[in-house]
Amino acid sequence: MKNLIWLCWIAGTMVAQDIPFHYTVRVDDPTAEKWHVTLTMQPIPANQSFYIPAWSPGSYRMCHFGKWVDSLVAFDENGLPLKVLRKNWGEWYIMTPSKTTPSNIAKVSYVAHDIPEDSLETLPTTLNEMAADYFFFNGPTMFGYFKDQKTQKYRVTYRLPKDWNVWCSLDSAGASAFEAVSYDELIDSPVIAGGQRIRRYDFDVNQARYVMIVNSETPVAMDSIITISKPIIEYQTNFFGEAPFSRYMFLFNFFTSGKRFGALEHASSSAYYVTPPINQNQIRPGFYSRVIAHEFFHLWNPKRIYSSRLFPFQYQEPIKIQGMWFIEGVTEYYAKLTLVRAGILPPAYLYHEMRTIAQENFKDNLETLSLRAYEVGVAPVIYTKGALVGLFLDIELRDRSQNQKSLDDVVRYCNTAFAHNKKGYDDRQLTQVVKDATGIDVKSFYKKYIAGTNEMPNKDYFKKAGLLYEVHFRPYLGWYLDIDDDSQLFVSSVSGNSTASSLKLQNGDIIRSINRKIVPGDADSVRSFLSDIDKMKVGETIRMTIERDGKSMDLKGPILPGTVPDVILTENPNASPKEIAIRNGILGIQ
Ligand SMILES: [Zn+2]
């Protein structure tokens, strides 16, 4: 018996040494909307600062989460209080109480508050939320650090209201407890806790385990979300040839009103604020699947394939990187591509998505916008033009290599050359990375379309991939017509820059004839009469006889085009074998 106790004591001591930093997160009363956080640790010397992150990976902007932390106190290993001086929103300087006796810091505790969603210009998945029957938080809102202790192992134990459970992607360390190999991993693992409303779904893909945690007031048709997730997971893990995690967790917060949409990537999980699909048939095609494909792809780019300027994370300073287009744009391109290559949606989906972006004719310099992300967040155009740049870069590489090299090679090269060696790429040298991966120099492409403001050569690039990009301007008559009590057709309004305005039509003009045909005298006939006019083409001549102030007038002029183009992107029936090979390569058709 004695031996057994002695062995247990040894084992206990070893665990304590193995995990030198132990967080306890306690929620007494969820309606108070706060977490009581305590960090107990192997003593470290006093006279150093404790920090709450000011900057958050994934949102790339300064958030100053310390604004919602207060009541911080610190103690030495004998339980005696230390002096604490709050230096700014995210820094507490912990001092020895007397100048003569050096002290150690052995315990820090503080209160973290619910961050109101509208207090930061960021996604709800970047923040935290406490409600009566659940909470969600993103790690940087909850856990702080000492600068030299970020590579230590951490354990977290939750003390929760009765019947609550807690989930996150960290390895379990017993009931309501988890372990992280470092501070970075600790705060990269968002958490959901709650009572019965939280449901868990497990499934396997290629022998790897996936868990979906669902925080929703009402039941959600999760079968349908799992059904669309499986081929996404299967495609992307096959693409990279690995599932580099012990288990991957999707944390879904479903809400029906009063929240913003949000999704945020992490190394072994992703968190979402989305509206629930109403039933199996109402999974909006492309929405859930695209968001999931985007966040899942992020587990490689940028969680493992990252810019060397991001790591090691310095959580207090803004980090300026110029490759946000590679992180978000290329990921968005692969999200769309995944849905087609995995057979979830037809190629027409990709064509529709890409021409919708192309027709905007974005000329923004993505490098400049990337560098401003820490101030204003990631600009939407980094996702949209960034995805188009991803496609065109893919086409450029395929076109110049007889379809032997592609963006696939670049992304996979980044994974083996950088991620597998746990080092970052230089985001100032991304063209060199592309060259190392494919042997192709894309500096000129980069200068024009990524770090430049040249017009995107939509037609030319789509053509190289066997696609026809056509811009049509529809005829624009620009009038509203009405029928008065005497069954006369008259002009009730005229829009600017239209056929009607160029004919100098005015409100109140009575139309007697169009193209030498007399306007019929009853409403039904007028409708079919006008539908013929609607069929006229741009450039054709329209002739009208009108009556204005009792006088008859003849008007004549061309049908003018509108200013908003109709753009179509279709497969070119006359594409060359090379162009077809490139198109098939992109679509994943052998
Ligand atoms: Zn993203």
Side-chain angles (χ1 to χ4, degrees):
M1 197 64 183
K2 261 189 181 165
N3 278 350
L4 189 63
I5 289 167
W6 185 77
L7 279 172
C8 288
W9 179 76
I10 289 282
T13 308
M14 283 168 69
V15 168
Q17 279 175 346
D18 198 30
I19 310 287
F21 283 72
H22 188 168
Y23 265 108
T24 304
V25 176
R26 199 183 82 232
V27 174
D28 299 329
D29 171 13
T31 60
E33 300 189 350
K34 59 188 177 188
W35 293 262
H36 296 274
V37 185
T38 303
L39 172 62
T40 49
M41 57 204 182
Q42 283 180 356
I44 59 169
N47 300 332
Q48 59 174 304
S49 289
F50 178 80
Y51 298 92
I52 293 284
W55 180 85
S56 164
S59 83
Y60 301 101
R61 71 189 299 167
M62 298 300 281
C63 289
H64 301 287
F65 297 115
K67 281 185 186 176
W68 291 274
V69 166
D70 61 23
S71 312
L72 189 139
V73 287
F75 303 91
D76 70 7
E77 61 269 56
N78 300 314
L80 297 171
L82 300 168
K83 269 195 188 167
V84 177
L85 175 68
R86 188 169 193 169
K87 295 181 101 172
N88 57 49
W89 285 121
E91 180 180 357
W92 290 259
Y93 188 65
I94 301 175
M95 291 172 285
T96 174
S98 85
K99 281 185 182 137
T100 47
T101 9
S103 316
N104 290 318
I105 309 169
K107 184 172 162 182
V108 175
S109 66
Y110 53 89
V111 174
H113 295 265
D114 175 284
I115 303 176
E117 197 192 332
D118 53 4
S119 48
L120 280 171
E121 288 273 316
T122 186
L123 304 175
T125 39
T126 308
L127 306 175
N128 64 29
E129 185 197 4
M130 175 92 73
D133 48 355
Y134 70 89
F135 69 67
F136 164 84
F137 69 76
N138 187 32
T141 68
M142 198 60 51
F143 301 116
Y145 64 92
F146 291 96
K147 267 189 176 153
D148 296 333
Q149 311 298 336
K150 297 210 297 283
T151 54
Q152 302 279 7
K153 287 186 179 174
Y154 287 75
R155 172 180 290 175
V156 192
T157 303
Y158 290 87
R159 307 251 180 267
L160 301 172
K162 196 169 172 290
D163 300 328
W164 279 36
N165 279 313
V166 57
W167 289 271
C168 76
S169 64
L170 292 172
D171 285 339
S172 171
S176 300
F178 302 93
E179 282 174 12
V181 297
S182 65
Y183 177 75
D184 288 350
E185 189 187 52
L186 173 70
I187 65 161
D188 189 42
S189 310
V191 177
I192 285 181
Q196 295 207 331
R197 62 179 280 142
I198 317 287
R199 294 174 188 83
R200 173 184 173 142
Y201 300 80
D202 286 42
F203 58 95
D204 291 348
V205 177
N206 292 343
Q207 280 108 48
R209 172 51 56 102
Y210 299 85
V211 180
M212 286 187 173
I213 301 300
V214 177
N215 173 22
S216 175
E217 201 171 333
T218 51
V220 177
M222 286 308 290
D223 287 356
S224 50
I225 291 190
I226 292 170
T227 303
I228 55 160
S229 300
K230 280 182 176 172
I232 291 168
I233 291 166
E234 188 167 18
Y235 173 74
Q236 293 189 0
T237 51
N238 285 342
F239 177 89
F240 285 103
E242 62 181 17
F245 38 76
S246 51
R247 120 188 46 68
Y248 186 91
M249 191 173 276
F250 298 85
L251 299 119
F252 287 105
N253 297 288
F254 287 107
F255 61 90
T256 46
S257 64
K259 287 247 171 265
R260 279 181 292 167
F261 161 81
L264 191 62
E265 72 275 15
H266 302 278
S268 299
S269 60
S270 44
Y272 305 81
Y273 271 85
V274 280
T275 50
I278 294 160
N279 62 42
Q280 301 238 5
N281 300 325
Q282 288 189 320
I283 294 270
R284 272 185 280 159
F287 173 70
Y288 294 96
S289 48
R290 188 186 56 74
V291 173
I292 288 168
H294 180 105
E295 300 308 329
F296 197 72
F297 194 83
H298 270 328
L299 83 86
W300 288 278
N301 175 22
K303 299 311 292 193
R304 287 171 177 80
I305 300 166
Y306 51 78
S307 160
S308 53
R309 280 197 278 178
L310 285 175
F311 286 80
F313 280 132
Q314 303 299 332
Y315 294 105
Q316 300 307 311
E317 302 299 324
I319 296 172
K320 298 179 188 178
I321 51 173
Q322 57 200 55
M324 287 307 311
W325 66 273
F326 186 77
I327 295 175
E328 292 299 351
V330 168
T331 294
E332 183 59 16
Y333 171 51
Y334 273 95
K336 297 177 197 304
L337 212 50
T338 294
L339 303 193
V340 175
R341 287 182 175 178
I344 298 167
L345 291 171
Y349 162 77
L350 184 69
Y351 305 156
H352 174 268
E353 293 282 293
M354 287 305 172
R355 75 106 170 114
T356 306
I357 298 170
Q359 74 182 65
E360 296 289 335
N361 290 316
F362 291 118
K363 291 182 190 147
D364 307 65
N365 180 329
L366 297 183
E367 198 180 275
T368 312
L369 284 174
S370 294
L371 289 166
R372 291 195 60 212
Y374 78 96
E375 291 175 310
V376 294
V378 184
V381 72
I382 287 181
Y383 293 84
T384 51
K385 186 186 171 189
L388 189 65
V389 156
L391 171 64
F392 285 2
L393 186 55
D394 199 4
I395 293 170
E396 172 89 1
L397 295 171
R398 290 175 187 274
D399 182 59
R400 287 171 58 188
S401 67
Q402 303 301 315
N403 202 34
Q404 296 305 300
K405 297 289 175 191
S406 70
L407 197 59
D408 295 352
D409 296 304
V410 176
V411 175
R412 289 199 190 101
Y413 167 82
C414 286
N415 198 40
T416 50
F418 298 107
H420 289 179
N421 293 314
K422 297 207 179 328
K423 62 176 190 181
Y425 60 82
D426 184 346
D427 67 271
R428 288 160 292 197
Q429 301 289 336
L430 271 164
T431 53
Q432 187 59 46
V433 172
V434 173
K435 193 168 183 188
D436 292 343
T438 62
I440 298 169
D441 185 342
V442 294
K443 276 205 192 86
S444 157
F445 177 96
Y446 185 90
K447 265 192 207 139
K448 282 190 264 184
Y449 309 122
I450 296 171
T453 55
N454 288 37
E455 189 160 336
M456 296 288 278
N458 296 326
K459 215 176 167 74
D460 295 352
Y461 270 81
F462 283 125
K463 184 176 182 303
K464 289 175 203 272
L467 298 170
L468 273 180
Y469 179 81
E470 294 171 299
V471 180
H472 297 280
F473 288 89
R474 279 200 227 178
Y476 182 44
L477 296 172
W479 63 30
Y480 278 97
L481 304 179
D482 218 333
I483 295 172
D484 67 14
D485 294 343
D486 300 327
S487 296
Q488 302 186 106
L489 184 67
F490 72 97
V491 177
S492 62
S493 85
V494 174
S495 305
N497 298 319
S498 66
T499 305
S501 68
S502 80
L503 289 170
K504 299 203 165 49
L505 277 169
Q506 294 180 6
N507 291 356
D509 287 349
I510 295 165
I511 302 174
R512 294 299 183 200
S513 76
I514 301 179
N515 295 341
R516 301 197 178 102
K517 287 184 192 150
I518 306 291
V519 176
D522 64 287
D524 283 348
S525 308
V526 166
R527 238 168 253 129
S528 76
F529 174 84
L530 289 177
S531 73
D532 284 346
I533 311 302
D534 284 338
K535 287 179 195 144
M536 291 183 74
K537 297 200 171 72
V538 171
E540 285 184 322
T541 302
I542 182 167
R543 292 181 168 79
M544 303 175 72
T545 304
I546 60 151
E547 193 180 311
R548 184 181 298 161
D549 302 329
K551 285 180 203 156
S552 177
M553 297 171 72
D554 289 328
L555 307 174
K556 185 176 127 180
I559 297 285
L560 297 183
T563 49
V564 181
D566 263 0
V567 180
I568 52 168
L569 182 64
T570 48
E571 295 188 354
N572 180 1
N574 302 316
S576 70
K578 180 185 173 186
E579 290 164 354
I580 292 170
I582 290 176
R583 186 176 72 212
N584 287 344
I586 291 167
L587 299 175
I589 299 168
Q590 299 299 319

